[in-house]
């Protein structure tokens, strides 16, 4: 199975900050990576697929980059509504696997 | 735009079976993939398996292979996930989610989740 490792596990930042979350795959997954946002008590929401394609309706302050084994989710200017846990997911091969999550908080 | 609605919360005894349903509305159901992902309390996301309703072809994660069965009823646009031999470690929120027809893709959208509690 492909292991996905996110860092950091918890991130505290101020409104307006630029925030970066990293996701590393245990082997190359090309660009077959998605990012999700999950708020407490809610289902995950797709933000980005194919490593950098923004899902329709997602604010443009979210962006994704990377390929191979290293990927980044960037929020260009943190907003209070962005408080959530973020997960990466590989779909290069079965079984689909997720990172352990990054909990984003406002300072 | 597709919308996935899941069945309600369940409380089950250890050793029993649970069935969770996921009904699709608003878009083509049959040719997509419906997958199941679970999330234990305070934990991350874990893919269990999926089905292509039009063909009935299924794919399971190896760790659930012996205990999970995923089926679909095309006439009612409903997918089902059966998990047997429940233990307390199966206490989790179970989500269904749609994937594009070529299967190896992202999950979007997701159902609202179904809490399954396993307790004696």
């Amino acid at each position: 199975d492909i292991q996905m490792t996110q860092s950091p596990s918890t991130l505290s930042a101020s409104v307006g900050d630029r925030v970066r979350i990293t996701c590393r795959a245990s082997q190359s997954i090309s660009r077959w990576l998605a990012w999700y946002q999950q708020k407490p008590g809610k289902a995950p929401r797709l933000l980005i697929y194919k490593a950098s394609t923004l899902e329709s309706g997602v604010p443009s302050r979210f962006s994704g980059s990377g390929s191979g084994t290293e990927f980044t989710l960037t929020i260009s200017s943190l907003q209070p509504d962005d408080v959530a846990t973020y997960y990466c997911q590989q779909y290069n091969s079965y079984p689909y696997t997720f990172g352990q999550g990054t909990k984003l908080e406002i300072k | 735009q597709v919308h996935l609605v899941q069945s309600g919360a369940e409380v089950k005894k250890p050793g029993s079976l649970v069935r969770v349903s996921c009904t699709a509305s608003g878009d083509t159901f049959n040719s997509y993939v419906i997958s199941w992902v679970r999330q234990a309390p305070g934990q991350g996301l874990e893919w269990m398996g999926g089905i292509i309703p039009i063909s009935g072809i299924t794919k399971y994660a190896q760790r659930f292979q012996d205990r999970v069965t995923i089926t679909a009823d095309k006439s009612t646009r409903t997918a089902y996930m059966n998990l047997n031999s429940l233990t307390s470690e199966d206490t989790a929120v179970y989500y269904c989610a749609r994937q594009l027809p070529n299967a190896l893709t992202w999950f979007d959208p997701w159902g609202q989740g179904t809490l399954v509690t396993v307790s004696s």
Side-chain angles (χ1 to χ4, degrees):
Chain A
D1 298 3
I2 297 175
Q3 189 169 6
M4 306 301 291
T5 304
Q6 289 181 229
S7 60
S9 296
T10 306
L11 179 57
S12 184
S14 300
V15 172
D17 281 355
R18 187 179 191 88
V19 168
R20 290 186 178 89
I21 298 170
T22 298
C23 176
R24 289 185 172 86
S26 61
Q27 64 189 71
S28 177
I29 58 170
S30 185
R31 292 176 60 80
W32 306 127
L33 184 101
W35 288 97
Y36 302 89
Q37 176 193 65
Q38 186 178 34
K39 296 185 177 181
K42 299 294 186 182
R45 170 198 181 195
L46 176 69
L47 298 176
I48 286 167
Y49 57 93
K50 287 182 191 173
S52 62
T53 302
L54 198 66
E55 169 71 348
S56 176
V58 174
S60 59
R61 62 181 180 274
F62 290 92
S63 64
S65 63
S67 65
T69 61
E70 188 153 337
F71 302 85
T72 302
L73 173 70
T74 301
I75 306 174
S76 60
S77 178
L78 186 64
Q79 300 301 305
D81 189 50
D82 301 336
V83 169
T85 299
Y86 293 83
Y87 294 94
C88 60
Q89 175 237 332
Q90 67 81 19
Y91 52 94
N92 179 79
S93 62
Y94 293 113
Y96 301 111
T97 47
F98 294 84
Q100 81 280 13
T102 294
K103 187 174 183 180
L104 178 57
E105 302 169 339
I106 299 285
K107 256 185 214 174
Chain B
Q1 185 176 356
V2 71
H3 190 53
L4 301 177
V5 178
Q6 299 182 221
S7 51
E10 302 267 10
V11 179
K12 293 293 182 180
K13 298 285 189 189
S16 67
L17 174 148
V18 68
R19 188 184 215 199
V20 181
S21 68
C22 171
T23 301
S25 63
D27 201 343
T28 303
F29 171 74
N30 291 339
S31 58
Y32 286 88
V33 177
I34 299 291
S35 272
W36 291 89
V37 176
R38 78 176 188 179
Q39 185 171 38
Q43 302 300 308
L45 301 163
E46 183 174 31
W47 177 73
M48 301 176 69
I51 187 168
I52 304 174
I54 195 170
S55 64
I57 293 173
T58 54
K59 185 78 173 180
Y60 299 119
Q62 189 167 9
R63 68 167 298 207
F64 296 105
Q65 182 84 36
D66 295 336
R67 295 199 296 133
V68 69
T69 304
I70 298 172
T71 59
D73 183 337
K74 291 178 286 188
S75 66
T76 60
R77 303 162 65 87
T78 300
Y80 299 93
M81 188 280 298
N82 285 5
L83 185 64
N84 59 35
S85 303
L86 293 170
T87 72
S88 58
E89 294 185 353
D90 294 314
T91 294
V93 176
Y94 290 77
Y95 295 101
C96 63
R98 191 189 72 168
Q99 294 175 271
L100 293 178
N102 53 331
L104 282 168
T105 70
W106 53 93
F107 302 104
D108 180 62
W110 297 60
Q112 83 276 18
T114 297
L115 175 61
V116 174
T117 302
V118 183
S119 174
S120 54

